[in-house]
Amino acid sequence: MPVRSAFARRSSALAIASTLLVALPAMAQEQPVADQAADPATADIVVTGFRASLNSALGMKRNEAAAVDSIVAEDIGKFPDSNLAESMQRVPGIALARGDGGEGRNISVRGLGAGFTRVRINGMEGTAQTGSSDIYGAGNNGRSFDFNVFPTEIFSALSVRKTTSADIEEGSLGATVDLSAPKPMDQKEDFVLAATARGVYNELSKKVDPRASLLISKKFGDSGFGILGSVAYQKRHLREVGYSAVDILSANANGGFCSPLGAPINTAGQNATQLAARGVTAANCSTNNPRTSTAAAYQAIQDLRRDDLPGTPGSGAFLPRLPRYLNSQQNQERIGGSLTLQFQPDDATDISVDFLYSRFEVTRRDNYIAAISFARNASNLGQPMTSVRDIEFDDNGSLLYGLFNGVDVRSEGLVDHFVSTFKQANVNFKRQLNDSLEVSGIVGFNQSVWDGKKRLQTFMDAIDTNGFSIDFRDGGSTPKLGFGVDVSNPNSFNYAPTLSNGTVLGGFSFQGKPSKNTTDNMTAETNLKWTVSDAFSIRAGAQYRRSNFLSTFLRPYNADTVVRALPAGTTLAAITTIINGVDKLWGNGAPSSWAAIDPDKWASTFGFDDVRYCGVECGAGRSRVVEEVSSGYLMANFDLEEALGFSIRGDAGVRYVKTDMVGSGYINIASASSPTGLAGQYKAVRNSYDDWLPSANIVIEPIDNLLVRFSGAKVLSRPELGVLTPTVTINPTTRVGSISNPLLSPIRANTFDAAIEWYFRPGSLLSAAFFYKDIKSYIQNVNSQINFNELGLPDALLIGGTAVATDPFTISQPFNTPGGKLKGIEINAQIPFTFFDGFLSNFGLLANYTHVTSKINYILASAGGVPTVTTTADLVGLSPNTASATLYYEDDKFSIRTTGNFRDQFIRGIPASPGSDLQGNAKTFYMDASASYNVTDRLKVILEATNLTDEQNRLYIDSTRQDTLFETRIGRTFTFGVTYRM
């Protein structure tokens, strides 16, 4: 069995949090409400600890007209968590999406994924992109923001704006997140120095890694000038082990299995010449590979058929495509810094110049030991050449046990090296011109670069091994695999050119690298505020934004992609290494070791450094999206308390937005003169649209400390940048292709929110909110049958294939499709136990729960522009239930807290492979803890632990079968550190 978190521990943690959430408000109601003059919403707060940071954030939330939740640094340079995305889990309605190594990467808000969330840094919209393993999407080439690019220490606060106002730029259906770096004039002291040093240990990598930060702030007397600089550095070694299937396919997908002796030969679409070349005879599945299928096992597969394919033998029998164990090791280095120059010569003027930089470098080495025959058809001697000796399925057709002969076993390695950098410079200004007029604005530039320097796959194969087994019978979500060969011995494998009959004996792939995505953003904005009276003011402003997204990759010469035989005198043992320890960290039948190609030795042996690359002239990728957004707004702010005798405040306004976009790229066509056989043909497409976006936020306080909020708005979210380029991929043999769509319209929605908030004691809150979004349209990939000559593409794309211009092609293309409704509720509690006396008064609780439902209309296939297959399901990325609870204790010396975060299952992709309706992510529960002790007023020691429950993330396919695609263990991480401040 793989190592798992204990269900009892999860249940206990949730039970405790639930009991406290129910019981404590009742206890609190029995206590008299303290003098509201002490309420953190109105009192000055010195942020020196976790409780003070909560109080400060609560005051910000209360004073806003819109629905805004904030997290404020506990101290200078000390954010509450080690990762920005992980901090936001405590905000109601936010669910964390984790990437490789279990690190928080991006967020969804109220069921809307990362692509629907805009992020502003020091007031300016930005993008941040990183790479990842294939299972997590391989990389981000859109608008989604990857928070793991940044160290937390360079920020002092973040705010999550869930409802919009006219003065907030458009682009979000989920939320607008503001990240703020600290400013010198906000510090209480004229001089501040804060330094932190930590050691980080993970129980799987078994290494202690450094993490350090330094912040220095100085205000220069009465000059009104201040300067603040911060720098943070972190190095991490991560290890991840587990199981992967890549996909789940029906047994007929690749032509079925080799039939038993005496049964009709399974030709699997092969003609007589192909059968002879591959050695398929009445006695052999392929050359030197005898037929050993049993009649019972073979027939058991044939008898399983899907309802929609009743005449197709094996269509209802589902097996892992690439059953394999994995070992992933990452080396990360993250460095970031901020510099702010601030000038406040008088109370009416504030000018700041902000610089921010972050660099995140990752080298990930993945190794797999896998069976590959179930992923192949007869053309490369795959599944039709595999005998099935024993087989067992459950009632849904999912494999429980299988024993096979003639299975090709592969040891595969992947090295992925990328660097993500972010740079920003901006000027913010605010000037009170007179008692009634105020002008403010921002001018800034930022750049996000994801530089994929290398993504090299190497592999060696053991051909036609006997006794390969897949065993799920212990009831777990992942199987035990038996390989039927000594995988620790390099001599069990081959590395050589592919044979003439299609047998692959090893090889390599550059996987589209090197590549680079660069996004340059520019923002210029000015705002004017006219205070008509204490009860009424008008704001107006204009903004211009320009975004330039450029994606490129180089293509190696064809001659340099040919697999060559090992040089004379070189053995596989000389270019391999051994992967150890997966059996101890994962268990469940994993081998104690397996041999794998050492990528550095391989590169040296075959001269990898001499590989030649070329650009668009030989079919490499180069695509660009230039987007210009011009907008203006008019908004009124009001506070009618004096006129009505009770508080009614808020804002109402409208924003006009004009979007102009140019998408350009290259279509690859055959070229005899190119060293790759391809050349790029340039194409550019323009698109534009405009929108009027009204919005309003109203806050009513019918009695003291009870707030009722209402919000409504029209909002939009633009398509991901990567799909707006006019790029095309066509296979003229299989008659399939994919086409981007630069003419996509944005996703538009009407939203409504209502909330009630009770600030029943200082620093305390009980609230409930309802939200509703009518999503007018959605963007999804639709598979359509279209004749090639109707696509408007050059006939040169057909060269080298068997298709002709009048043939129908299956084309995948993104379209605007009907959307659907989304609605949900949020319940939130923030309760310091100050109603107790003595020791218990230092405790406190944070807890929230969100429930979301949605029904999105998905088009799975169409013909002639008419949908032929449709379905209704949840929005991709939406978890119906999310919850978070933090129990903390804090006094003058000691602080400790533990946080549990639950995220329900959610859809990762729809549709999935044939026979499966979707890809999903199973529910997860993560528990973290943190403690600190003030040795002196200046010196503090810190102890942190993450993933205390040793949770494992599992991805699955099909809502009914829920066959495991991927499940890994990341282990627990412990941090010890010290902080010094002066």
Side-chain angles (χ1 to χ4, degrees):
M1 290 288 292
V3 179
R4 300 178 183 279
S5 53
F7 177 77
R9 281 180 289 172
R10 299 189 199 176
S11 302
S12 298
L14 288 173
I16 291 170
S18 300
T19 302
L20 290 172
L21 182 60
V22 173
L24 289 175
M27 296 165 56
Q29 291 178 39
E30 298 172 3
Q31 307 297 321
V33 176
D35 183 359
Q36 292 304 311
D39 195 304
T42 57
D44 287 338
I45 297 169
V46 178
V47 180
T48 58
F50 183 65
R51 181 176 298 201
S53 73
L54 296 177
N55 293 345
S56 181
L58 197 64
M60 295 165 64
K61 176 181 178 66
R62 181 170 181 170
N63 291 330
E64 287 280 357
V68 181
D69 289 290
S70 302
I71 296 176
V72 179
E74 299 177 37
D75 206 340
I76 298 297
K78 175 62 175 75
F79 224 71
D81 298 277
S82 60
N83 179 287
L84 289 169
E86 291 168 5
S87 281
M88 284 187 276
Q89 291 181 106
R90 289 199 303 271
V91 175
I94 287 187
L96 175 64
R98 296 178 183 267
D100 298 314
E103 189 173 43
R105 183 178 175 188
N106 44 47
I107 60 170
S108 67
V109 183
R110 291 179 166 180
L112 293 159
F116 297 104
T117 299
R118 300 273 64 78
V119 177
R120 302 190 302 184
I121 301 175
N122 292 333
M124 180 183 172
E125 184 173 350
T127 56
Q129 304 168 337
T130 62
S132 76
S133 58
D134 290 340
I135 197 69
Y136 288 120
N140 173 6
N141 65 349
R143 304 178 194 271
S144 304
F145 194 92
D146 292 335
F147 289 91
N148 57 342
V149 170
F150 300 92
T152 63
E153 293 90 343
I154 64 175
F155 296 105
S156 60
L158 67 82
S159 296
V160 182
R161 182 178 295 270
K162 300 175 187 174
T163 65
T164 192
S165 302
D167 60 338
I168 303 299
E169 59 260 44
E170 78 302 326
S172 165
L173 256 66
T176 297
V177 176
D178 278 297
L179 300 176
S180 302
K183 294 183 179 293
M185 305 308 287
D186 294 337
Q187 311 309 313
K188 298 296 183 182
E189 298 88 0
D190 286 343
F191 177 77
V192 175
L193 184 149
T196 300
R198 295 181 175 96
V200 183
Y201 174 82
N202 178 268
E203 65 175 326
L204 267 62
S205 68
K206 302 189 184 303
K207 293 181 181 292
V208 178
D209 297 315
R211 178 171 184 168
S213 63
L214 176 67
L215 181 146
I216 300 176
S217 175
K218 173 65 176 174
K219 292 189 284 188
F220 294 89
D222 297 329
S223 67
F225 178 73
I227 182 170
L228 185 150
S230 71
V231 63
Y233 175 81
Q234 182 182 19
K235 194 168 187 176
R236 291 287 307 274
H237 292 85
L238 303 176
R239 188 173 186 183
E240 191 170 2
V241 297
Y243 164 81
S244 171
V246 179
D247 202 350
I248 304 293
L249 301 177
S250 58
N252 71 301
N254 282 308
F257 287 93
C258 181
S259 53
L261 282 170
I265 295 176
N266 175 15
T267 60
Q270 303 170 78
N271 58 40
T273 301
Q274 292 168 328
L275 291 169
R278 293 163 184 163
V280 180
T281 67
N284 293 316
C285 302
S286 58
T287 303
N288 298 322
N289 177 22
R291 295 178 179 272
T292 56
S293 288
T294 65
Y298 184 80
Q299 193 59 43
I301 295 172
Q302 300 291 92
D303 290 343
L304 289 175
R305 309 181 185 199
R306 283 161 38 200
D307 292 340
D308 58 331
L309 294 174
T312 307
S315 60
F318 293 93
L319 297 90
R321 178 175 178 264
L322 284 169
R324 58 189 186 176
Y325 294 114
L326 70 92
N327 179 79
S328 178
Q329 293 178 272
Q330 284 191 55
N331 296 334
Q332 297 182 351
E333 188 173 51
R334 186 186 284 112
I335 185 169
S338 68
L339 177 66
T340 297
L341 310 176
Q342 191 172 14
F343 184 50
Q344 292 181 344
D346 51 51
D347 293 339
T349 307
D350 187 353
I351 302 172
S352 63
V353 181
D354 301 291
F355 302 92
L356 190 139
Y357 172 82
S358 187
R359 183 180 189 272
F360 182 45
E361 181 171 7
V362 175
T363 299
R364 195 184 75 251
R365 296 175 181 264
D366 297 339
N367 285 99
Y368 305 94
I369 186 69
I372 59 174
S373 293
F374 309 108
R376 295 171 152 187
N377 56 29
S379 64
N380 46 18
L381 281 74
Q383 189 173 296
M385 284 70 181
T386 299
S387 295
V388 52
R389 291 166 51 190
D390 195 5
I391 202 82
E392 184 179 347
F393 296 91
D394 68 12
D395 292 340
N396 294 316
S398 297
L399 180 70
L400 287 177
Y401 174 74
L403 181 63
F404 308 91
N405 284 348
V407 175
D408 297 341
V409 172
R410 170 169 291 177
S411 175
E412 177 186 337
L414 178 70
V415 179
D416 191 2
H417 178 204
F418 65 84
V419 179
S420 296
T421 56
F422 181 89
K423 305 173 185 177
Q424 178 167 314
N426 59 274
V427 178
N428 290 65
F429 67 90
K430 182 188 295 185
R431 173 68 179 175
Q432 190 75 36
L433 301 176
N434 53 43
D435 290 343
S436 59
L437 287 178
E438 177 186 282
V439 63
S440 62
I442 180 174
V443 177
F445 302 86
N446 62 39
Q447 181 185 75
S448 172
V449 179
W450 170 34
D451 186 2
K453 295 180 178 297
K454 179 167 70 173
R455 189 176 171 91
L456 173 67
Q457 177 199 35
T458 56
F459 54 91
M460 55 185 186
D461 296 344
I463 305 302
D464 292 340
T465 67
N466 293 328
F468 177 82
S469 61
I470 312 175
D471 193 349
F472 285 93
R473 292 177 298 183
D474 66 359
S477 56
T478 62
K480 292 186 174 103
L481 303 178
F483 294 94
V485 65
D486 182 4
V487 294
S488 66
N489 185 357
N491 295 323
S492 299
F493 297 93
N494 304 276
Y495 185 92
T498 299
L499 301 180
S500 59
N501 66 356
T503 302
V504 176
L505 298 175
F508 67 96
S509 169
F510 298 121
Q511 299 211 339
K513 295 292 185 291
S515 67
K516 183 181 290 188
N517 287 349
T518 302
T519 306
D520 291 292
N521 295 310
M522 179 267 182
T523 298
E525 173 184 319
T526 184
N527 305 282
L528 184 67
K529 180 181 177 181
W530 176 31
T531 302
V532 180
S533 67
D534 291 342
F536 188 75
S537 64
I538 296 174
R539 292 178 62 91
Q543 185 187 73
Y544 172 79
R545 304 199 308 272
R546 186 177 190 271
S547 179
N548 185 347
F549 171 75
L550 176 64
S551 179
T552 62
F553 73 87
L554 300 180
R555 188 181 290 275
Y557 284 23
N558 284 355
D560 294 339
T561 62
V562 175
V563 177
R564 289 173 280 163
L566 290 169
T570 302
T571 65
L572 265 180
I575 64 167
T576 54
T577 186
I578 299 296
I579 308 300
N580 290 305
V582 177
D583 59 325
K584 294 182 176 63
L585 299 175
W586 177 252
N588 210 35
S592 59
S593 62
W594 72 81
I597 290 178
D598 183 306
D600 298 324
K601 294 177 182 177
W602 175 90
S604 176
T605 299
F606 291 102
F608 173 75
D609 292 337
D610 297 329
V611 171
R612 296 160 293 177
Y613 294 94
C614 50
V616 293
E617 72 279 3
C618 57
R622 181 179 178 88
S623 56
R624 185 190 298 271
V625 175
V626 178
E627 187 177 77
E628 294 182 305
V629 179
S630 303
S631 62
Y633 73 91
L634 181 66
M635 184 177 80
N637 294 86
F638 56 88
D639 187 341
L640 307 179
E641 181 175 11
E642 185 174 337
L644 299 177
F646 65 95
S647 177
I648 295 182
R649 57 187 172 86
D651 61 64
V654 64
R655 189 177 192 91
Y656 173 76
V657 185
K658 178 72 162 60
T659 304
D660 295 289
M661 189 277 297
V662 178
S664 60
Y666 287 83
I667 300 173
N668 288 337
I669 60 175
S671 171
S673 61
S674 167
T676 67
L678 297 170
Q681 179 175 304
Y682 180 77
K683 185 176 183 180
V685 178
R686 295 181 179 272
N687 190 18
S688 64
Y689 48 88
D690 60 349
D691 290 89
W692 290 92
L693 303 173
S695 62
N697 296 278
I698 300 174
V699 183
I700 305 171
E701 190 169 359
I703 59 175
D704 288 346
N705 305 313
L706 184 69
L707 273 59
V708 181
R709 298 180 183 270
F710 298 98
S711 301
K714 285 187 175 182
V715 296
L716 65 82
S717 179
R718 294 182 176 86
E720 294 283 15
L721 294 168
V723 303
L724 293 176
T725 58
T727 53
V728 175
T729 301
I730 291 290
N731 188 319
T733 299
T734 59
R735 295 172 178 79
V736 298
S738 62
I739 302 176
S740 297
N741 190 350
L743 298 178
L744 288 170
S745 297
I747 299 174
R748 298 180 173 95
N750 295 333
T751 68
F752 172 77
D753 291 72
I756 184 168
E757 300 169 359
W758 181 29
Y759 298 85
F760 59 94
R761 291 180 62 87
S764 302
L765 169 67
L766 291 174
S767 67
F770 168 80
F771 51 91
Y772 173 83
K773 300 179 189 295
D774 183 5
I775 302 173
K776 297 299 184 180
S777 68
Y778 192 59
I779 295 174
Q780 57 182 285
N781 282 322
V782 179
N783 291 325
S784 304
Q785 287 287 321
I786 307 173
N787 290 342
F788 182 86
N789 57 10
E790 298 174 3
L791 294 172
L793 300 175
D795 288 345
L797 289 173
L798 298 177
I799 296 175
T802 58
V804 297
T806 55
D807 283 342
F809 276 62
T810 300
I811 300 296
S812 174
Q813 187 173 23
F815 286 100
N816 290 104
T817 59
K821 308 292 193 296
L822 181 150
K823 58 185 177 181
I825 58 168
E826 287 177 359
I827 299 172
N828 185 31
Q830 179 171 319
I831 307 170
F833 293 0
T834 51
F835 43 79
F836 288 122
D837 293 326
F839 173 76
L840 291 177
S841 66
N842 296 320
F843 282 91
L845 175 73
L846 308 175
N848 65 74
Y849 167 75
T850 304
H851 176 71
V852 190
T853 61
S854 69
K855 293 297 179 186
I856 300 297
N857 300 310
Y858 292 96
I859 299 174
L860 306 184
S862 70
V866 178
T868 56
V869 182
T870 62
T871 190
T872 302
D874 282 338
L875 185 69
V876 171
L878 180 147
S879 291
N881 300 287
T882 57
S884 174
T886 299
L887 183 65
Y888 68 89
Y889 171 90
E890 187 171 65
D891 59 28
D892 292 340
K893 287 284 190 180
F894 183 66
S895 175
I896 186 170
R897 63 181 179 267
T898 181
T899 300
N901 286 285
F902 169 79
R903 182 174 187 181
D904 212 344
Q905 62 187 25
F906 60 93
I907 298 172
R908 279 189 168 269
I910 188 169
S913 303
S916 303
D917 58 351
L918 55 83
Q919 288 188 12
N921 203 120
K923 61 185 68 174
T924 56
F925 177 78
Y926 288 89
M927 181 168 283
D928 306 325
S930 175
S932 64
Y933 179 75
N934 296 321
V935 180
T936 69
D937 291 342
R938 299 183 183 277
L939 183 65
K940 178 191 293 185
V941 295
I942 303 166
L943 180 64
E944 299 169 339
T946 59
N947 193 24
L948 285 170
T949 51
D950 199 13
E951 181 66 293
Q952 296 167 194
N953 194 34
R954 185 176 76 91
L955 279 59
Y956 63 85
I957 190 169
D958 194 73
S959 58
T960 300
R961 301 193 318 273
Q962 295 202 4
D963 293 324
T964 299
L965 289 176
F966 180 81
E967 184 171 352
T968 61
R969 183 185 176 211
I970 58 174
R972 302 170 181 87
T973 299
F974 303 93
T975 301
F976 175 80
V978 294
T979 295
Y980 179 79
R981 172 176 173 160
M982 62 177 292

